[in-house]
Amino acid sequence: FAFATADTDRRFIFIIQRGAADGLGILAPVGDPAFASARGDLAANALSGAKLDGLFTLHPQMTASAALFRQKQAAFYHAIASGYRERSHFDGQNLLETAGTRPYGRDDGWMNRLLSLLPKGESKALALATAIPPALRGPVSVSSYAPSRLPDANAALMERVAMLYAEDAQLAPLWTSATQTEAMAGGIDPSAGRGGVAAGKLVASLMAGADGARIAMVETGGWDTHINQEGRLGTALKGVDELVDTLRTELGPVWAKTLVLVATEFGRTVHVNGTRGTDHGTASAAMLFGGGLAKGGKIIADWPGLSPSQLYEGRDLKPTMRFENMVIAALSAHYGIDPERLRRSVFPDFPDMS
């Protein structure tokens, strides 16, 4: 988890699917005449998912997400990708998070650049991790917090440390921030597990109230499904589905001012490999959730098709939409920022708004 706070009552959460999530498994184009033959054994599972329109069904494990879609609190994007066209997880994730022209070409991330556009005030960032994710790195101050399984320090020790730091210009504000964050997370048992419900409760606790975080990043894994994809993908998607639904319930009225983005570094191959999995591909699917979505209840896709002649390099779903365009539109609507101004500040290396 990574968190940032800013002087705004709106929340934004980016859930990154590290490992290349299979967009064709998440949002299956069952209405495409080439889908069944192209997907083989993986096609049958898709038919039991929620039918969203004449072309797409949602994975059967994403029951809460399907309900949010019907309530116009979810929107799905397909055949989407960043500008990356190779198949390295590390390079693809770096480009997704920094939005540069090439992997490792920038030292700052687009989420850190977003903070510069939000109202001035408390604009520090906080990462629940041992290292700050690239998306949150940059000139805006970022610290870290990780839940501890060690016994809590007694009150007397905490008081003595606070007194020791009180006159230090650097340590005093850091100590205050750390103790405030610990207090906000104090109601969550670290031993409660790592499932979507536990994660959602922790994120919501750190985003609630006037002192809560306003920007968050959540890292999820389990998406590199080279082997036995069906069960592994379902488990990972159930976790995200539970996380989003828990955020909705735990944030309460704040959900109406919350935007959640779910995206991955690239997709997976159209055809199944010899171990009932899929390999590194190109385009995938992305998801938006929130109580006040501008395009809630819609699927946004310029569908390229799955016949052999329509595939990218003869093997992948062809990208027809840029990740940056989707994020620019979503964030500008969410925060009421002019799209071109947001592009210049948050995605300065991406000049094309078409």
Side-chain angles (χ1 to χ4, degrees):
F1 306 87
F3 298 85
T5 57
D7 189 16
T8 173
D9 61 351
R10 294 191 172 272
R11 274 75 165 171
F12 172 56
I13 304 165
F14 175 30
I15 301 174
I16 185 170
Q17 299 163 297
R18 295 198 186 278
D22 179 35
L24 294 173
I26 297 169
L27 193 60
V30 296
D32 188 308
F35 175 74
S37 60
R39 283 260 115 170
D41 292 341
L42 296 182
N45 189 52
L47 297 175
S48 63
K51 188 176 180 62
L52 303 183
D53 63 11
L55 180 58
F56 296 106
T57 65
L58 192 62
H59 193 281
Q61 289 288 359
M62 303 197 75
T63 54
S65 299
L68 289 174
F69 183 83
R70 291 190 293 269
Q71 297 164 21
K72 298 186 177 181
Q73 296 183 34
F76 302 118
Y77 293 71
H78 219 321
I80 192 168
S82 72
Y84 185 67
R85 291 296 178 269
E86 302 301 326
R87 295 180 175 87
S88 162
H89 291 304
F90 302 108
D91 291 354
Q93 289 171 24
N94 183 270
L95 200 59
L96 184 76
E97 295 183 70
T98 63
T101 57
R102 67 184 189 281
Y104 310 101
R106 295 192 66 102
D107 295 327
D108 59 343
W110 62 264
M111 291 183 72
N112 194 286
R113 297 193 291 270
L114 171 65
L115 289 171
S116 67
L117 291 181
L118 300 183
K120 298 299 181 183
E122 189 181 1
S123 58
K124 61 186 177 181
L126 174 65
L128 255 74
T130 56
I132 305 301
L136 269 174
R137 295 175 189 167
V140 178
S141 176
V142 176
S143 56
S144 63
Y145 169 84
S148 174
R149 295 180 183 272
L150 297 174
D152 291 338
N154 63 55
L157 175 60
M158 297 290 284
E159 184 177 352
R160 288 196 294 272
V161 173
M163 292 173 62
L164 180 66
Y165 289 170
E167 302 302 322
D168 191 292
Q170 286 186 306
L171 293 177
L174 290 175
W175 177 256
T176 300
S177 176
T179 53
Q180 287 176 347
T181 303
E182 177 69 24
M184 286 188 290
I188 303 300
D189 181 2
S191 64
R194 298 185 179 183
V197 173
K201 287 183 177 180
L202 179 57
V203 175
S205 72
L206 289 164
M207 302 193 83
D211 295 327
R214 296 296 180 265
I215 303 289
M217 183 172 173
V218 181
E219 298 180 313
T220 64
W223 306 102
D224 198 15
T225 51
H226 290 283
I227 301 172
N228 297 328
Q229 174 171 302
E230 184 173 328
R232 295 174 63 196
L233 180 63
T235 299
L237 287 174
K238 182 179 180 181
V240 169
D241 192 64
E242 291 177 342
L243 196 163
V244 172
D245 195 43
T246 302
L247 285 172
R248 178 187 64 82
T249 56
E250 294 292 321
L251 287 173
V254 176
W255 177 250
K257 296 182 178 181
T258 299
L259 175 67
V260 181
L261 163 66
V262 184
T264 190
E265 68 263 31
F266 50 75
R268 308 194 71 82
T269 51
V270 172
H271 295 280
V272 182
N273 62 28
T275 56
R276 299 177 62 84
T278 54
D279 300 318
H280 299 176
T282 307
S284 188
M287 299 174 271
L288 291 177
F289 299 95
L293 286 186
K295 295 184 177 181
K298 294 183 179 180
I299 298 174
I300 296 90
D302 179 11
W303 188 244
L306 295 179
S307 66
S309 63
Q310 295 170 320
L311 302 184
Y312 178 74
E313 295 187 345
R315 50 171 276 167
D316 300 339
L317 177 65
K318 181 180 178 180
T320 58
M321 185 185 311
R322 284 291 291 264
F323 169 79
E324 295 87 346
N325 272 331
M326 178 195 70
V327 177
I328 290 168
L331 290 177
S332 62
H334 184 59
Y335 287 110
I337 300 173
D338 175 72
E340 178 58 21
R341 180 187 173 216
L342 191 143
R343 182 203 63 77
R344 290 195 304 266
S345 297
V346 181
F347 297 96
D349 295 331
F350 182 68
D352 184 8
M353 291 288 289
S354 63

